[in-house]
């Protein structure tokens, strides 16, 4: 048979197998979404088992002899340089994951999945009671399994690298250490300057009563204006806002509400909509292959951050929506000037809670978690010491005294779900966002005017063309180089922060 025909035949079989795995993956995502949005409390135990057995099934299919035979056939074509650009990317990504998963036994995967699903409800109870001791034995077990996972998977320098790799392929803790160290010094320094500034922002100006139905209507209006397609998506409520996708035609976002705080839900909706636009922008024809998947969590977060921070916390954005604010909440916005709103939503104020942090101190929360995770996985600190280490770093970096575990070590869900190595991608997202947004500003000269007029079509088209439609065709590093001409640099973020906060706080 002609070689090209042979290759096409093998590749077709490969794609069919991948699609099967993807359907299972989608089913798992539905279960997790349901767990966060709809499931009654008592459903937790059995749901954990359902998720675990499905995760085990998925893993088993992925590393099965059947799949292994097909992927190894594709590998031969790859070794001979016979794959085209797209096929090369598909193979590269599946092979990377396959080689990783192959090193983990089905028993191990199921054990981890069940432990993590169970731990999430234990963590939730511990947080409610603000008692780390309740969660500690579970976290100890998770860390133990994660150390094992790193050992199974293998690594060059740090076992933590093996975990980062699932969220941000190609990134290492060594590279992160360099970037984050430089950033930490910058942030601590500018935070001191802001604290000393005579300029004070009065956040009370934005206090009021914001009926939830009206907030919900505004959120939907803004999301739609940004380009979110409600015929291929939904918006619901959950304790922690998140975005999940089953495929590009079914993308779900969640938010949460506080009657006293309008921007608590609005900014988080803009953030999640940014994530969702990425998922809705992926091409349906690529569904079931890595070309139908986002590149990395860092790149994903850059999409949410561009919308939430660079656009959603700008003056021009709220100039556009000011009439809607006035119409819906006249008591507050009749008296409040646009510039005052801009300052209040950008107030820099160290706080104990990461998700409530401003865009400047937010990164110190992440750097703290990165440092802790790295040492925890490398074995130089132990779980029992975490509250003490956490609290002392909070004091050192942010000047905050932690009084309760629920306000400190227990605040985030990530570790209970086994997500260790995930946190750094939040700050990476901010850095990518700043670097990309600098380029967007160059490419769209009338950007400010367009935002003021509520015209987001060009921005979305830019993101679609440069990022969303490619799926995993490029690695994160290749993509950022291709778009901006250089590798990831924290310079753009620092410039952005200096510029914006220099003006707000008259530094
Ligand atoms: Mg996010």
């Amino acid at each position: 048979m002609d070689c090209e025909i042979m290759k096409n035949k093998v590749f077709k079989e490969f794609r069919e197998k991948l699609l099967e795995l993807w359907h299972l993956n989608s089913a798992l995502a539905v279960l997790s979404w349901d767990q966060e949005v709809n499931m009654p409390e008592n459903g937790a135990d059995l749901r954990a088992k359902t998720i675990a057995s499905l995760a085990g099934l998925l893993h088993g299919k992925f590393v099965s002899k059947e799949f292994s035979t097909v992927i190894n056939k594709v590998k031969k074509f790859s070794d001979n340089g016979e794959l085209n650009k797209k096929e090369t990317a598909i193979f590269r990504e599946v092979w990377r994951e396959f080689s990783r998963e192959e090193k983990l036994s089905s028993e191990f995967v199921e054990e981890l999945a069940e432990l993590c699903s169970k731990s999430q409800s234990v963590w939730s109870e511990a947080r409610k009671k603000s008692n780390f001791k309740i969660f500690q034995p579970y976290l100890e077990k998770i860390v133990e399994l994660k150390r094992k996972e790193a050992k199974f998977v293998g690594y060059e320098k740090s076992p933590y690298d093996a975990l980062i790799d699932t969220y941000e392929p190609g990134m290492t803790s060594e590279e992160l250490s360099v970037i984050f160290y430089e950033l930490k010094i910058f942030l601590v320094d500018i935070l001191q300057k802001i604290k000393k500034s005579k300029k004070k922002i009065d956040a009370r100006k934005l206090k009021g009563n914001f009926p939830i139905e009206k907030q919900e209507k505004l959120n939907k209006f803004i999301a739609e204006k940004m380009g979110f397609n409600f015929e291929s998506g939904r918006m619901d409520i959950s304790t922690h806002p998140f975005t999940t996708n089953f495929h590009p035609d079914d993308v779900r976002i969640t938010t949460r509400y506080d009657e006293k705080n309008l921007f608590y839900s609005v900014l988080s909706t803009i953030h999640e909509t940014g994530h969702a636009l990425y998922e809705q922008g992926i091409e349906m024809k690529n569904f079931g292959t890595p070309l139908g998947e986002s590149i990395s969590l860092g790149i994903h977060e850059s999409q949410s951050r561009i919308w939430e921070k660079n656009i959603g916390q700008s003056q021009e954005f709220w100039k556009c929506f000011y009439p809607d604010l006035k119409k819906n909440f006249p008591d507050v916005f009749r008296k409040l000037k646009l510039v005052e709103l801009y300052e209040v939503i950008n107030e820099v104020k160290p706080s104990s809670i990461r998700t409530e942090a401003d865009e400047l101190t937010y990164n110190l929360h992440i750097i703290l978690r990165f440092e802790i995770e790295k040492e925890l996985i490398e074995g130089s600190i132990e779980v029992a010491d975490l509250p003490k280490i956490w609290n002392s770093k909070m004091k050192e970096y942010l000047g905050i005294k932690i009084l309760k575990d629920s306000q400190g070590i227990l605040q985030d869900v990530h570790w209970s779900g086994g997500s260790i190595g995930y946190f750094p991608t939040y700050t990476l997202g901010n850095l990518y966002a700043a670097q990309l947004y600098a380029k967007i500003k160059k490419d769209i000269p009338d950007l400010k005017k367009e935002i003021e007029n509520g015209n987001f079509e060009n921005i979305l088209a830019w993101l679609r063309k440069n990022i969303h439609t490619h799926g995993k065709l490029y690695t994160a590093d290749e993509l950022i180089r291709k778009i901006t001409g250089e590798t990831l640099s924290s310079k753009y973020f620092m410039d952005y922060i200096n510029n914006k906060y220099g003006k707000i706080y008259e530094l």
Side-chain angles (χ1 to χ4, degrees), residues 463-474:
L463 295 170
R464 290 267 196 263
K465 176 174 156 257
N466 287 291
I467 300 160
H468 304 172
T469 52
H470 297 310
K472 278 187 159 87
L473 184 59
Y474 306 105

Side-chain angles (χ1 to χ4, degrees), residues 264-419:
Y264 184 66
S265 84
V266 171
L267 291 176
S268 115
T269 303
I270 296 173
H271 179 98
E272 297 308 330
T273 304
H275 279 303
L277 290 174
Y278 189 0
E279 293 297 344
Q280 287 188 339
I282 272 170
E283 292 191 60
M284 197 50 156
K285 66 169 194 247
N286 292 325
F287 173 70
T289 80
L291 299 183
E293 279 174 55
S294 59
I295 294 188
S296 69
L297 288 189
I299 297 292
H300 224 307
E301 190 69 5
S302 77
Q303 299 307 288
S304 59
R305 288 281 163 166
I306 283 176
W307 286 102
E308 180 199 359
K309 301 296 177 195
N310 302 83
I311 299 171
Q313 281 179 222
S314 70
Q315 247 188 99
E316 43 276 21
F317 187 83
W318 290 105
K319 192 171 175 191
C320 165
F321 291 104
Y322 225 68
D324 302 290
L325 293 178
K326 272 189 179 156
K327 195 178 82 198
N328 284 301
F329 314 103
D331 291 352
V332 175
F333 291 100
R334 218 178 27 220
K335 307 171 280 203
L336 195 72
K337 286 192 208 116
L338 175 63
V339 62
E340 292 174 307
L341 168 66
Y342 171 68
E343 287 176 355
V344 173
I345 61 174
N346 286 295
E347 186 192 14
V348 174
K349 192 178 174 194
S351 77
S352 57
I353 306 291
R354 173 185 65 86
T355 54
E356 289 167 16
D358 56 82
E359 66 179 321
L360 198 151
T361 57
Y362 184 91
N363 300 291
L364 290 170
H365 288 265
I366 298 305
I367 292 169
L368 170 155
R369 285 156 177 78
F370 162 74
E371 292 171 349
I372 287 178
E373 284 186 343
K374 184 173 180 290
E375 292 198 44
L376 200 54
I377 296 301
E378 288 176 353
S380 49
I381 57 175
E382 290 305 327
V383 170
D385 303 321
L386 289 187
K388 219 177 74 201
I389 297 170
W390 182 284
N391 297 352
S392 100
K393 280 184 190 279
M394 280 301 285
K395 187 93 196 53
E396 188 190 337
Y397 302 166
L398 286 155
I400 293 259
K401 199 168 174 212
I402 301 295
L403 301 167
K404 285 159 74 183
D405 289 345
S406 60
Q407 305 271 306
I409 187 80
L410 284 177
Q411 64 182 274
D412 288 311
V413 68
H414 302 63
W415 292 342
S416 74
S419 301

